Amino acid sequence: MNKVNLNEKFDLIKEHWSPKIIGELNGQDVKLAKVKGEFVWHDHKGEDELFLIIKGTLRIEFRDRSVTLNEGEMLIIPRGVEHYPIAEEEVLLLLFEPQNTKHTGDVMTERTVQKFEKI
């Protein structure tokens, strides 16, 4: 049981779109990520996904609309909903996901993370 300093953990992250695990909670991974630019269209068929914006502005495109999240705002994306995150500038975010969540769902790209690093 150790406290976690988010700023110190974010300083350890050097690449974009590569979430790092900072804790585990009831079968969920607590992850931090730095994101910038466009990600990929994907969904998570078996799990919901929580995005909490720590710093910056993240736009998430859906097939029928777009949602913009600012610092201190969060969004839970229900399982099976396709989404496409876009960050015009660097965004720092916190994610809650079940431990078996695939980074890009069933879509495999150069951005897909196979094994998440713990920091």
Side-chain angles (χ1 to χ4, degrees):
M1 214 170 43
N2 297 312
K3 70 179 181 178
V4 175
N5 184 299
L6 296 183
N7 292 325
E8 289 174 4
K9 295 297 186 183
F10 276 120
D11 286 344
L12 298 173
I13 300 173
K14 304 302 180 201
E15 61 279 333
H16 293 120
W17 301 107
S18 183
K20 309 296 183 201
I21 298 170
I22 62 164
E24 299 172 4
L25 176 73
N26 299 318
Q28 301 271 322
D29 282 333
V30 181
K31 299 175 184 170
L32 296 181
K34 289 182 178 179
V35 300
K36 185 175 180 183
E38 299 180 8
F39 198 46
V40 298
W41 277 105
H42 69 286
D43 66 8
H44 304 281
K45 297 204 182 326
E47 54 272 340
D48 303 329
E49 185 175 31
L50 180 144
F51 287 82
L52 172 62
I53 308 304
I54 304 299
K55 182 179 179 187
T57 300
L58 181 69
R59 188 172 83 244
I60 303 178
E61 297 289 331
F62 299 97
R63 294 297 182 185
D64 63 344
R65 65 187 177 113
S66 176
V67 173
T68 299
L69 299 171
N70 297 300
E71 291 180 23
E73 295 181 328
M74 64 173 253
L75 179 69
I76 298 171
I77 300 176
R79 64 195 70 192
V81 174
E82 275 191 297
H83 53 287
Y84 182 73
I86 302 168
E88 300 293 333
E89 301 293 331
E90 185 175 75
V91 174
L92 307 182
L93 58 90
L94 184 142
L95 302 159
F96 280 101
E97 302 173 326
Q99 291 173 337
N100 62 349
T101 299
K102 296 178 183 174
H103 186 227
T104 54
D106 291 333
V107 176
M108 295 299 289
T109 73
E110 68 280 352
R111 291 207 167 145
T112 301
V113 175
Q114 298 292 330
K115 185 172 185 331
F116 294 101
E117 177 185 359
K118 292 183 180 183
I119 59 171

